[in-house]
Amino acid sequence: MEVMDEASLKQFDVPDHIPRERIYDFDMYNPAGNGEKDYYDIWRTLQEPGVPDIIWTPHNEGHWIATRGSTVSEVLKDYTRFTSEIFFIPKTMGAEWDGLPSMLNPPEHTPYRQILNRYMGRDKIMAMEPEIRALSIELIEAFAADGHCELKSQLANIFPIKMFLALTKLPYEDADKLLRYVAMMMKPEGTAEEMADSLVRGKKALYDYIAPVLAERTANPGSDIISGIAHATVDGRPLTTDEKNRLITIVLLGGLDTVLNFIPVCFAHLAQHPEVVEEIHKNADRLAMVSEELFRRFPLVNEGRMVAKDIEYDGVLLKAGDMVLAPTTMHGIDDRENECPMKVDFNRKRKSHSTFGAGAHVCAGMHLARIEVMILLEEWLKRIPRFRMKPGFKFVTRSGIIGSADALELEWDVN
């Protein structure tokens, strides 16, 4: 990875405060090799020798990129300098995002986050363990005897979605349209204006979907998170309809697009590294440790922050209003943070990562994600102890706000 040359820069408007030696050619939505090279190999080019801890790219309206784990963690945690008021890049699109509590900083953020924590805390999620286990067994046993599967369509697109819809008490028949709305917001394409328009249209579709659900849960509340939001209060007052919509939207976005992509990316690695699968078998009684190392190795979320005030950082001026990309992808695979970071090592004493974010905005759904992956690994390996990628199949990954995989063809021996 080298500094962008002057000839290539001519097509872009570069602000005066951006040092030329910090400008690199990297498009988070379509980096060089996207869809051809490994997702992590692409992002690791930003950690090659000589690349600074924070760089600037002219793509997507121009923004900074934190390239090292410590920088990513600091940007995510320090809301006094890096506000979440605008969460997505490009900034024109991010300005249309108003999800709660993601766009707020403490202390305003705290009461809204407490509402989510009541329904997504560890104890609440642990109570779902029998349901999570039953669904994982049902899905795996549907194809285990076949000796092959397309993992994304037959498991990854179903398992976390069904569990999340169970948490929200929404019908599984609505999954396809909900995923379509989420994709409009999280996988936009085109110019910054077209991406902003996609987000706005996706948000409107989601609000239109939520309206009758909210009305029903207001009249006939249950124990689910949407009912909780419908009847929640902040500072002694009921939430407004707008606040309810914005809270439910962040819940749906967080729950419908992350584990869904983590599963195929993780299982693709396992399919190509039988020695890692053998290590999981040896550590079957330590699946919490196993899953944490997998989360460390396969982070996928690349979120933004806005510089809150003019500051000097890593020897350069960051001006108020500048956008900074804080890719959680960069933290777990940083060799300054984790020795031999690309190796899955279940005996790793220290697992440094920001896979679930950091600071006030740490992922509310992390407990659900952890238990889903632990149970899925356990039940899969009971029924399919060894497996491989189908010969000739090319595993394709893509970059974006959330890294993703197109499909995953697996096979195994059947006795």
Side-chain angles (χ1 to χ4, degrees), residues 209-229:
Y209 173 86
I210 291 168
V213 177
L214 258 179
E216 171 60 24
R217 305 290 168 90
T218 300
N220 302 292
S223 58
D224 60 281
I225 189 170
I226 294 179
S227 293
I229 291 171

Side-chain angles (χ1 to χ4, degrees), residues 76-352:
L76 292 176
K77 289 178 179 178
D78 188 354
Y79 57 85
T80 64
R81 291 186 294 167
F82 305 101
T83 174
S84 63
E85 180 182 343
I86 296 185
F87 208 72
F88 294 140
I89 292 170
K91 189 176 183 180
T92 295
M93 180 185 79
E96 299 294 345
W97 170 249
D98 58 358
L100 289 177
S102 64
M103 68 169 295
L104 299 178
N105 299 309
E108 292 81 9
H109 161 278
T110 305
Y112 296 100
R113 179 55 186 258
Q114 288 173 341
I115 295 169
L116 301 184
N117 289 347
R118 288 183 207 126
Y119 294 88
M120 303 189 76
R122 191 174 185 279
D123 290 345
K124 281 275 190 181
I125 298 304
M126 289 302 293
M128 296 176 66
E129 188 268 347
E131 193 174 355
I132 296 171
R133 190 173 300 278
L135 178 59
S136 66
I137 292 171
E138 175 191 336
L139 293 173
I140 296 165
E141 290 191 343
F143 53 70
D146 297 339
H148 63 88
C149 77
E150 195 292 289
L151 189 79
K152 192 164 184 185
S153 63
Q154 291 182 261
L155 190 146
N157 283 1
I158 303 172
F159 176 56
I161 304 304
K162 271 198 170 181
M163 290 318 310
F164 194 78
L165 292 177
L167 183 70
T168 55
K169 294 293 187 289
L170 294 172
Y172 182 66
E173 305 82 69
D174 292 350
D176 285 347
K177 63 182 173 184
L178 287 171
L179 288 170
R180 188 166 64 251
Y181 303 155
V182 168
M184 291 170 68
M185 302 172 76
M186 302 294 282
K187 294 182 173 66
E189 297 179 348
T191 65
E193 290 74 19
E194 289 168 339
M195 295 167 85
D197 179 67
S198 178
L199 187 148
V200 169
R201 288 185 290 108
K203 184 171 67 173
K204 181 182 184 305
L206 207 49
Y207 282 15
D208 289 345
Y209 173 86
I210 291 168
V213 177
L214 258 179
E216 171 60 24
R217 305 290 168 90
T218 300
N220 302 292
S223 58
D224 60 281
I225 189 170
I226 294 179
S227 293
I229 291 171
H231 292 269
T233 60
V234 169
D235 297 331
R237 63 165 179 82
L239 296 179
T240 66
T241 299
D242 180 63
E243 288 173 320
K244 294 173 186 178
N245 283 334
R246 293 161 66 190
L247 265 171
I248 294 169
T249 297
I250 194 68
V251 168
L252 293 175
L253 257 65
L256 294 175
D257 204 33
T258 46
V259 176
L260 179 156
N261 288 297
F262 174 83
I263 291 171
V265 170
C266 175
F267 271 68
H269 185 87
L270 299 181
Q272 297 173 91
H273 293 85
E275 74 282 2
V276 176
V277 175
E278 293 306 315
E279 285 299 311
I280 297 178
H281 283 294
K282 291 177 185 176
N283 289 281
D285 59 340
R286 297 196 297 163
L287 284 177
M289 173 271 296
V290 166
S291 62
E292 197 65 18
E293 170 65 357
L294 294 173
F295 280 122
R296 192 274 315 164
R297 173 61 180 81
F298 302 108
L300 291 167
V301 178
N302 305 303
E303 60 189 61
R305 294 291 189 270
M306 186 173 71
V307 179
K309 57 190 175 185
D310 289 3
I311 58 172
E312 183 176 318
Y313 190 90
D314 191 41
V316 294
L317 172 65
L318 309 186
K319 291 186 72 67
D322 283 0
M323 292 301 299
V324 183
L325 182 66
T328 68
T329 296
M330 305 302 293
H331 191 158
I333 62 172
D334 185 352
D335 58 9
R336 294 183 191 170
E337 301 294 323
N338 297 290
E339 186 177 356
C340 300
M342 303 305 277
K343 179 183 179 182
V344 174
D345 181 2
F346 299 125
N347 295 313
R348 191 182 297 276
K349 289 185 172 61
R350 177 176 176 268
K351 300 176 180 65
S352 178

